[in-house]
Amino acid sequence: MPRFDAKTFLEKQIVATREALGREKALIAVSGGVDSTVSAAITHRAIGSNLSCIFIDDNFMRLGEPEMVKQLLSSPPLELPVNVLDARGRFMAALKGLRDAEEKRRTFRDTFYKVLGDAAKLEKCKYLVQGTIKADIEETTAGVKTQHNILEQIGINPVEKYGYRIVEPLVALYKWQVREVARIIGMPSELSERQPFPGPGLSVRVVGEVTPEKLDEEKMATVIAEEYLAPLKPSQFFAAIFGPAPTHDDKSIAVEVSENLSLSSAEADILFEKATGVVGGKRTYGDVVLLDLGGAKPAHGKLQEMRKELQGDHPNITRVLVKVGTRQGAGYRVSLRAIKTRDFLTAEVVDVPWKTLEQVAEKILEKCPKVSSVYYDVTPKPPATIEFE
Ligand code: XMP
């Protein structure tokens, strides 16, 4: 494979973007993620003040994110002209009552492009620039999931449906290549090395129905999970929320504990909510299992053996979550995720020490009054996806 030359790519792409856009005005929705920021930087160098950048506050960002992103993007070396658009009400209204992962994603995508379409009309922009990368296309065309930024690849004509043409400067690159371009541009490491954040934001981490209360608890759990897991430098790490628990729809399954795992007992429940997974290269909506090891703290290798056994016995299971903290009473369940990957198409689970897991759990239970238990997701991709939905 030829070496990737980020500097040459950058120079060529500035010229190509200038040619594609001519004297037209263009709009880009920036999220603070490395893909949209690099796309905005390239386009800004290509067409200067004909580019408008908007940050859509959809209410599914992390706490304080809109302010932080605006500040970083407006400052040198990027100096992008960013406006924050408050669309929180529109997104919450659109998602109200929806439970199914793909329906939530489709609705999010539709709302996103309608909001963007309104902004493009207002700004008189015919073009929309997007930070779509190669993995987004590969996963969507393979049927793994509806990436929210893919339109033409799934047969939606953006001109007819939303009123603008799309330009995607990074569509030939993988994430690690985008990061190399970001470093060449001189982007601060808070941006260039930032872990990916899905387009539909925390909506894919509030598993099942989104309510304001569940979302608030997810936002607080996210702050805590990121703070404690960041020092381990996973490729991606976050919290997701399920619930409320216990629901009468959960059902127990028998678990056989192999002798060599030296566990005295283990209990497993299949959760009412399902989560996405990828089996044989295709997206599935599989069962989530909650595993209670009764206080045992097996090493990472043993946990992985146990997970494999469980999934071997119950092929519908695409997630195995191990309990790390709990308190009395019913409440939401939070799951922690920390994975290592280069291309985000496959991923390994990070061996987070039990001590760290317990510290995160304790802090989440302290700061999130409606959460009653905390789990660690020990499933690699495949068969799980990185996100829960
Ligand atoms: P999955 O969950 O498919 O995630 O294993 C792979 C990577 O993609 C991110 N992700 C998204 N990014 N729009 C995006 O821009 C999306 O709709 C989307 N869904 C997932 C995810 O965070 C992970 O890094």
Side-chain angles (χ1 to χ4, degrees):
M1 203 167 86
R3 229 183 65 76
F4 174 65
D5 181 346
K7 192 162 178 289
T8 306
F9 173 87
L10 177 64
E11 286 160 4
K12 282 192 174 157
Q13 208 48 49
I14 292 171
V15 174
T17 307
R18 192 177 293 136
E19 279 170 6
L21 296 173
R23 290 170 174 274
E24 296 291 345
K25 289 176 89 178
L27 180 70
I28 183 164
V30 287
S31 64
V34 66
D35 305 341
S36 64
T37 310
V38 170
S39 302
I42 289 175
T43 314
H44 197 232
R45 289 182 184 195
I47 64 167
S49 59
N50 270 347
L51 176 72
S52 303
C53 305
I54 59 167
F55 179 97
I56 298 178
D57 183 359
D58 52 29
N59 206 23
F60 290 97
M61 303 289 165
R62 302 159 173 114
L63 283 178
E65 199 154 26
E67 300 77 13
M68 194 267 282
V69 170
K70 183 175 161 77
Q71 211 269 331
L72 276 174
L73 267 56
S74 314
S75 308
L78 295 168
E79 299 185 274
L80 295 168
V82 182
N83 286 316
V84 177
L85 183 73
D86 181 0
R88 290 175 294 180
R90 264 174 99 169
F91 280 88
M92 289 303 275
L95 288 171
K96 195 165 184 221
L98 303 184
R99 304 196 66 95
D100 178 81
E102 281 294 285
E103 202 183 339
K104 281 169 68 184
R105 274 178 169 272
R106 272 194 303 274
T107 304
F108 191 100
R109 183 184 64 202
D110 243 30
T111 311
F112 181 85
Y113 284 108
K114 276 183 198 147
V115 169
L116 212 49
D118 292 350
K121 260 190 220 125
L122 214 64
E123 305 262 348
K124 300 191 170 36
C125 297
K126 271 196 206 141
Y127 285 91
L128 185 69
V129 181
Q130 291 204 136
T132 317
I133 63 170
K134 207 174 193 167
D136 299 339
I137 308 262
E138 285 177 0
E139 294 219 304
T140 300
T141 43
V144 176
K145 73 171 50 159
T146 314
Q147 287 281 132
H148 99 290
N149 53 353
I150 305 290
L151 295 175
E152 277 148 324
Q153 289 79 9
I154 53 167
I156 295 177
N157 180 332
V159 180
E160 276 172 21
K161 185 150 187 195
Y162 303 108
Y164 41 66
R165 286 171 206 286
I166 289 183
V167 172
E168 296 170 321
L170 305 181
V171 80
L173 304 192
Y174 284 111
K175 184 75 87 187
W176 64 271
Q177 296 170 313
V178 179
R179 290 199 203 282
E180 285 197 11
V181 180
R183 288 177 208 124
I184 296 279
I185 291 172
M187 269 163 61
S189 60
E190 293 108 298
L191 291 173
S192 68
E193 311 312 313
R194 208 153 179 234
Q195 61 160 324
F197 190 62
L202 298 178
S203 77
V204 296
R205 299 177 182 169
V206 177
V207 183
E209 188 176 355
V210 175
T211 62
E213 180 186 86
K214 201 168 160 189
L215 179 59
D216 279 350
E217 294 288 84
E218 164 64 11
K219 285 183 182 176
M220 182 47 72
T222 299
V223 172
I224 299 164
E226 289 192 349
E227 181 193 334
Y228 280 85
L229 296 173
L232 299 166
K233 300 195 186 325
S235 314
Q236 201 165 359
F237 50 105
F238 55 86
I241 192 163
F242 294 82
T247 76
H248 52 272
D249 299 294
D250 290 350
K251 59 176 191 263
S252 294
I253 55 168
V255 271
E256 305 233 337
V257 183
S258 305
E259 266 173 35
N260 70 353
L261 294 174
S262 58
L263 292 177
S264 54
S265 71
E267 287 173 24
D269 289 319
I270 292 187
L271 207 62
F272 169 60
E273 284 118 328
K274 289 182 182 285
T276 59
V278 49
V279 176
K282 287 271 177 262
R283 174 189 175 276
T284 51
Y285 209 24
D287 286 332
V288 181
V289 158
L290 305 178
L291 203 54
D292 185 345
L293 302 179
K297 298 174 192 175
H300 188 70
K302 293 232 183 261
L303 267 181
Q304 287 301 328
E305 275 179 50
M306 194 161 186
R307 172 196 61 78
K308 271 188 217 150
E309 261 187 45
L310 250 175
Q311 291 187 307
D313 293 344
H314 304 272
N316 290 339
I317 296 174
T318 51
R319 297 274 170 170
V320 179
L321 313 184
V322 176
K323 188 182 268 183
V324 290
T326 188
R327 69 154 151 251
Q328 287 284 310
Y332 298 109
R333 288 143 162 161
V334 163
S335 177
L336 306 170
R337 189 115 173 95
I339 54 97
K340 267 265 175 253
T341 178
R342 183 167 157 101
D343 60 11
F344 294 86
L345 298 172
T346 61
E348 294 300 319
V349 177
V350 172
D351 177 5
V352 182
W354 276 98
K355 190 160 175 272
T356 309
L357 291 170
E358 285 165 350
Q359 283 171 338
V360 194
E362 195 180 317
K363 193 80 178 181
I364 289 177
L365 292 170
E366 178 195 326
K367 297 279 183 188
C368 304
K370 301 280 162 57
V371 173
S372 63
S373 46
V374 179
Y375 295 81
Y376 188 48
D377 182 348
V378 296
T379 346
K381 174 182 181 178
T385 43
I386 296 169
E387 303 290 347
F388 280 80
E389 293 196 336

